[in-house]
Amino acid sequence: MKQTDASTVTAKLVSKDQNSSQMTTRASLPLSVQNPETAAAKSSHKTHMLWEEQQGQHYPERDTMKSLRFISAEALVSHPRVAQESLDHIAYNLYPLLFKASYLLEQAEVTRAVLSHWPLEEFRLAVLLGPNTDHPEDLRDRACKACLEACMQGLADHVLQSRSNRLRVADFTGIQDVQVQQCPCGRALGRWGRTKVLVRICCQLQGQPCTARHPIEVFADLFVTEGNFDMVVQALKPAGPAPLQVCCPSLRADSLSPGQLLQVLGLAGPSKLRKLEVVHNVRLHAGHVQQLLAQVGLPQLTSLTLPTKAFDAPPTCAPTPEGEDPLLTSIAWELSQMNKLTELSVAFSTLTGKIRTLLSPLKTPLRVLDLANCALNHEDMSFLADCKHTAHLEVLDLSGHNLVHLYPSTFFQLLSQAAQTLRVLTLEECNITDNHVGMMILGLSPCNQLQEFKFLGNPLSASALQRLFAALCELPRLRHIEFPVPKECYPEGTTYPQDELSVSKFDQQKYDMIAEDLRAVLLQANREDIQASTPLFGSFDPDIHETSNELGTFLMQAFKTALENFSRALEQME
């Protein structure tokens, strides 16, 4: 297309009111086998997708019928210089269209320019990238590095040289981080990276002269670690007036000290925080958790994730003669004051005999519950099987428990109670064997809402997997299965649960043959819509993948500090 043609397109996009010479300002926001070595080369976290429905990553068919308006917008943004020169002549209600077109085609220069000229009161990224009548494709799973950086830099340009003071809200939430990026560059900017870029821009703008008469509220899902902690604190607590006011509906914290976590929570606006994830390398014990919940106050919180051993007693806390746990009782009371809490993840905390104490005070039924590797006993399972939460559960993780062998009746009672709502069930490393498959089929058969079933790490044979797959085909909403490598693919005498070294040492050729037979089971049942895979080291976690280098450095430093403390203690003993 020549420049004159692009100018013609520009003229078509300009909309003028028939009764006025002014432009309208009304906004209208509208299964194949993959070798493990190949997968490792593609992803450093080594999630091995060993079997998928088609070669490579499978994506559902999308309706990509575009309107003529959107086709015209694509034609314009395909000529970046012309598009940028034309922005002052484009109707306000067409800016959302131009933004999505520039994002789709990865015209980062145009994306930045569109946001710098943004004439509307609100910019909401998830709404703009979502399906609409002009372009039905959903782009919210494109965390495109070039475009997202351009968005944030365009916001800075808007503050420094804006011709309009209408923008009041810039919302960067709602982006879905996925393993394979479908944008042209294929490069993602994850949650940690988005946080770093945004807070850097906020800090740079502090103290700068700008034309805005009011601060712009910037909503972002923050991911705070030791590496960006200082900038996040500066962005949340500016020394003087700041043109961008960061609002945090969701916060993930990793590799922070308890004091740093408490500080950033206090600055992030805990009265508005809806989701809090404290993970991995934040060393909390029950005393820290009780202090955090009591001091900060999280009245709007809907989702809470706590790190490993978060319910362990602090070193100075001795158990009471009656065996009561006053800290856990206090934590449960604090949780009960959160009237909107519906998601709780406390994996890898020792909660033997304590589930009733923790969950019974909660006023709101839980929809998501992660109790993986919490050393539950029969008393805990009996409570779960008949508590007020069970009939509302949509996502349940009980990995690491010998459920079918030790607690068959209570476990299947739990499944029966949750059958009408359960969408995702994870039972990894639960020692489910061939002898348990019949009971598993009976227990899962009422779960007609189940969409995902993950049972990696269980010692099941190929014949048992075929029986289970045939039964799973009867679940109408099931779309995703994560199944273990069949036990005959491993050397005889292999013990379970396996370590990371032994789990990857299996007969690939034998696995391929079994995988093909399992695929045939799905095809014979006309269930090509089910994706089945064996991610050897767990599902893809974009947050860990993005910060692996920093967290590795943090762990090395922690190990060095521990050695220094040990050496110092030895010297004192001598």
Side-chain angles (χ1 to χ4, degrees):
M1 181 184 289
K2 298 180 182 179
Q3 181 174 333
T4 54
D5 297 328
S7 301
T8 303
V9 172
T10 305
K12 292 180 180 179
L13 283 171
V14 176
S15 170
K16 301 215 176 186
D17 191 288
Q18 294 180 352
N19 300 319
S20 171
S21 61
Q22 299 296 320
M23 290 187 292
T24 178
T25 60
R26 186 181 64 224
S28 56
L29 292 175
L31 283 187
S32 65
V33 180
Q34 182 176 339
N35 185 280
E37 287 75 12
T38 305
K42 291 185 177 180
S43 175
S44 61
H45 71 285
K46 298 182 181 179
T47 296
H48 301 313
M49 301 302 289
L50 295 176
W51 183 39
E52 296 170 352
E53 186 173 338
Q54 297 177 354
Q55 186 174 3
Q57 184 73 27
H58 171 75
Y59 293 94
E61 185 178 351
R62 294 174 174 176
D63 181 5
T64 56
M65 184 68 69
K66 307 170 185 176
S67 70
L68 291 177
R69 292 202 322 161
F70 194 85
I71 294 172
S72 298
E74 284 184 296
L76 177 59
V77 301
S78 297
H79 297 75
R81 185 178 62 83
V82 177
Q84 293 176 68
E85 292 174 351
S86 306
L87 286 176
D88 287 333
H89 308 291
I90 299 294
Y92 292 176
N93 63 334
L94 295 173
Y95 268 73
L97 205 65
L98 288 175
F99 176 82
K100 188 172 185 180
S102 67
Y103 200 100
L104 173 68
L105 301 180
E106 204 176 282
Q107 293 289 354
E109 296 177 27
V110 180
T111 300
R112 177 173 177 173
V114 167
L115 193 46
S116 71
H117 286 72
W118 197 257
L120 307 173
E121 291 187 0
E122 296 185 354
F123 172 87
R124 298 192 183 274
L125 185 60
V127 174
L128 295 168
L129 297 182
N132 56 48
T133 55
D134 288 299
H135 186 255
E137 188 175 0
D138 192 342
L139 304 184
R140 288 173 293 186
D141 60 354
R142 294 195 182 188
C144 176
K145 186 175 189 294
C147 289
L148 288 173
E149 288 180 343
C151 286
M152 296 179 190
Q153 193 56 57
L155 180 62
D157 297 341
H158 185 99
V159 168
L160 293 173
Q161 59 191 35
S162 176
R163 301 173 179 84
S164 167
N165 290 307
R166 299 190 69 203
L167 182 61
R168 293 182 177 275
V169 174
D171 188 346
F172 290 103
T173 64
I175 292 295
Q176 302 167 15
D177 294 302
V178 297
Q179 184 171 4
V180 180
Q181 288 296 314
Q182 294 301 296
C183 56
C185 71
R187 299 171 62 205
L189 187 69
R191 182 162 38 162
W192 187 84
R194 297 195 292 272
T195 298
K196 187 175 180 180
V197 173
L198 177 62
V199 298
R200 184 181 69 240
I201 287 174
C202 289
C203 293
Q204 290 172 348
L205 290 175
Q206 290 173 8
Q208 293 287 327
C210 60
T211 60
R213 297 173 188 155
H214 53 78
I216 298 173
E217 285 188 304
V218 182
F219 289 84
D221 297 322
L222 299 184
F223 185 1
V224 190
T225 65
E226 179 69 31
N228 63 11
F229 173 77
D230 291 334
M231 277 199 301
V232 170
V233 168
Q234 184 181 342
L236 292 173
K237 188 182 180 181
L244 299 180
Q245 180 180 336
V246 180
C247 302
C248 179
S250 169
L251 175 66
R252 181 182 175 97
D254 200 351
S255 68
L256 297 178
S257 69
Q260 289 175 318
L261 173 63
L262 198 60
Q263 181 181 0
V264 77
L265 266 177
L267 297 175
S271 63
K272 297 180 180 179
L273 193 66
R274 290 168 22 211
K275 184 174 184 178
L276 174 61
E277 298 173 90
V278 186
V279 298
H280 308 304
N281 298 305
V282 181
R283 308 301 188 195
L284 299 182
H285 54 60
H288 294 136
V289 174
Q290 192 279 333
Q291 179 187 20
L292 183 150
L293 297 180
Q295 290 188 8
V296 175
L298 302 163
Q300 300 299 315
L301 201 69
T302 62
S303 177
L304 175 63
T305 298
L306 293 173
T308 300
K309 300 182 178 180
F311 290 97
D312 287 7
T316 57
C317 182
T320 63
E322 298 80 11
E324 296 178 353
D325 190 337
L327 275 178
L328 185 66
T329 302
S330 178
I331 290 170
W333 187 87
E334 295 293 346
L335 292 176
S336 72
Q337 303 308 297
M338 302 176 190
N339 294 325
K340 297 186 178 181
L341 186 69
T342 58
E343 302 179 9
L344 183 63
S345 175
V346 291
F348 292 93
S349 286
T350 303
L351 290 171
T352 310
K354 299 178 179 180
I355 292 299
R356 181 185 299 273
T357 303
L358 179 65
L359 299 185
S360 59
L362 302 186
K363 296 185 176 73
T364 306
L366 294 174
R367 294 187 298 103
V368 176
L369 180 60
D370 185 350
L371 295 173
N373 297 281
C374 287
L376 305 184
N377 63 13
H378 187 272
E379 179 186 349
D380 299 317
M381 290 301 302
S382 296
F383 172 78
L384 287 175
D386 198 30
C387 72
K388 62 185 178 184
H389 304 288
T390 307
H392 299 270
L393 286 175
E394 298 178 18
V395 179
L396 176 64
D397 191 339
L398 291 174
S399 298
H401 296 99
N402 201 343
L403 300 166
V404 188
H405 180 69
L406 296 179
Y407 324 115
S409 60
T410 53
F411 171 60
F412 290 119
Q413 182 184 349
L414 186 157
L415 282 185
S416 176
Q417 293 290 329
Q420 299 306 310
T421 56
L422 195 62
R423 295 184 295 102
V424 181
L425 177 62
T426 305
L427 301 175
E428 297 179 0
E429 296 185 351
C430 287
N431 198 28
I432 300 172
T433 67
D434 289 15
N435 295 332
H436 301 137
V437 169
M439 288 189 291
M440 286 298 302
I441 291 173
L442 289 175
L444 291 170
S445 59
C447 301
N448 289 322
Q449 303 302 314
L450 197 65
Q451 298 174 15
E452 298 183 22
F453 181 40
K454 307 174 184 180
F455 56 108
L456 298 168
N458 289 291
L460 291 165
S461 67
S463 59
L465 286 171
Q466 287 188 19
R467 288 177 59 202
L468 191 53
F469 266 56
L472 292 174
C473 288
E474 300 298 320
L475 300 179
R477 295 182 180 273
L478 191 67
R479 296 294 181 271
H480 184 74
I481 300 173
E482 289 185 3
F483 67 97
V485 174
K487 63 181 182 181
E488 52 260 64
C489 297
Y490 289 106
E492 188 174 350
T494 297
T495 58
Y496 289 79
Q498 300 166 288
D499 57 34
E500 289 193 3
L501 181 61
S502 60
V503 76
S504 60
K505 292 184 176 180
F506 62 92
D507 188 324
Q508 178 74 49
Q509 185 175 4
K510 189 177 291 185
Y511 173 89
D512 293 346
M513 295 173 60
I514 296 171
E516 190 59 35
D517 292 338
L518 294 175
R519 171 178 168 79
V521 172
L522 298 181
L523 294 177
Q524 187 174 359
N526 294 319
R527 292 306 305 269
E528 295 89 344
D529 56 332
I530 296 178
Q531 299 179 50
S533 61
T534 302
L536 291 182
F537 302 120
S539 302
F540 173 69
D541 188 327
D543 296 313
I544 294 178
H545 181 64
E546 187 180 24
T547 57
S548 57
N549 291 335
E550 180 187 345
L551 298 183
T553 302
F554 178 85
L555 288 174
M556 290 298 295
Q557 182 61 44
F559 181 64
K560 179 183 176 183
T561 302
L563 288 178
E564 290 174 349
N565 293 337
F566 180 68
S567 176
R568 196 175 302 113
L570 287 178
E571 291 175 358
Q572 291 175 354
M573 291 176 61
E574 293 174 354

